[in-house]
Amino acid sequence: MNKMNAQATTFAPYPAPTAEFRVITPEIAKKMLEANTRNRSIRSENLAKLVRDMEAGNFKCNGDGIRFDRNGVMLDGQHRLLALLQTGTTHQMLVVTGLAPEVMPTIDVGARKEAGDFLALEGYLNGKKIAATINVLAGLARGMEKRTLTTSEVFDVLAAHPGIVESYDAAKAIKLISPSYVAAFHYAGYCTGYGNRADQFVEVLRTGFAETPDDPAYQAREKFIRARASIRSIQRNEALEILAAAWELSRVGKTVKRLQLRKGSNRLSIHGWNDTVFWGKG
């Protein structure tokens, strides 16, 4: 054994891991999952996103491994295999075997890239904020439901609705509340035929200049200002409910002495905005 091989042996006390790309069928996935005896609990949101991507044909073999230790115990990949099993699809995946059991705490500990990171890599300024706007629009399409899309879905929506970027640009100067929230209402307004109203809505929220203090956008802005003055944090649903109430009045040109919210409701509807429109099928 030469000196180089001796050093390699010294630093590799475990059997050398192997890696190969394999075609994984539902039957193979089921068999592999029998070795899933030492893993974190299933994260339903993560699983649902993988299922949607697989069903839509957006799942890609990117080199992430289905990993097993040298004892045959699965270390990584349960969500991907469960999604494959649930959808009945077949995919090529990298399978890594022979790892030391001690590597388990080092898996999935780095910062994951999200849709906004990939938008930025594609040259979109404010990529993370644009992705956040798309997720808000996804929720508004179902009446305030909180939804987080996969990266593929975010790119699909942006391809169908490139104007979302302009809506974020219109709202990004707003400081009282997340500009992504406001941008979502601005785009929904434009997309449903109320562009001028949407521009006015954002302008009042940004500047506070309105023809009358009974302007719904002005009333919404005052709510946000009072909350900030009292150091009260307005959470996502409340912020969206305030904006939704103000937008629906602004859309039809109504004024209001006091902006009233629907107590206990998180299913506020936005006129003309639904899943069909959101996915670019309307």
Side-chain angles (χ1 to χ4, degrees), residues 41-232:
S41 58
I42 301 301
R43 298 184 179 180
S44 57
E45 183 178 352
N46 187 27
L47 177 59
K49 289 163 74 173
L50 285 165
V51 166
R52 294 201 308 271
D53 268 353
M54 287 185 181
E55 289 178 336
N58 289 328
F59 182 81
K60 301 292 189 296
C61 177
N62 63 3
D64 284 346
I66 307 297
R67 291 180 264 201
F68 298 86
D69 71 14
R70 66 172 181 265
N71 300 313
V73 175
M74 181 182 291
L75 303 180
D76 189 31
Q78 61 174 344
H79 288 87
R80 278 165 283 160
L81 292 177
L82 284 168
L84 187 153
L85 194 60
Q86 186 171 324
T87 58
T89 55
T90 296
H91 297 278
Q92 186 181 53
M93 296 183 182
L94 179 66
V95 179
V96 181
T97 60
L99 295 169
E102 292 82 3
V103 306
M104 179 69 153
T106 70
I107 295 174
D108 288 339
V109 296
R112 285 182 173 272
K113 290 187 179 71
E114 298 178 348
D117 297 307
F118 289 107
L119 287 177
L121 289 172
E122 290 296 319
Y124 288 94
L125 298 176
N126 304 302
K128 289 188 176 182
K129 299 297 185 180
I130 292 169
T133 300
I134 291 172
N135 282 321
V136 174
L137 282 164
L140 292 176
R142 293 187 181 177
M144 299 299 176
E145 178 183 321
K146 189 171 184 178
R147 298 169 73 185
T148 303
L149 304 185
T150 70
T151 297
S152 294
E153 288 172 333
V154 166
F155 274 91
D156 286 346
V157 171
L158 196 53
H161 299 284
I164 290 172
V165 176
E166 294 179 15
S167 285
Y168 182 79
D169 286 342
K172 66 183 179 183
I174 292 174
K175 305 299 182 185
L176 289 169
I177 198 68
S178 170
S180 291
Y181 295 171
V182 179
F185 283 91
H186 182 267
Y187 185 74
Y190 252 90
C191 200
T192 54
Y194 296 90
N196 289 337
R197 297 283 190 189
D199 286 339
Q200 293 167 9
F201 185 72
V202 170
E203 187 66 12
V204 173
L205 285 169
R206 184 179 70 83
T207 66
F209 295 132
E211 293 182 2
T212 169
D214 297 341
D215 184 296
Y218 180 85
Q219 290 289 323
R221 189 176 192 275
E222 288 297 298
K223 278 185 176 290
F224 295 134
I225 289 174
R226 288 194 295 271
R228 174 171 289 190
S230 65
I231 320 179
R232 182 177 74 85

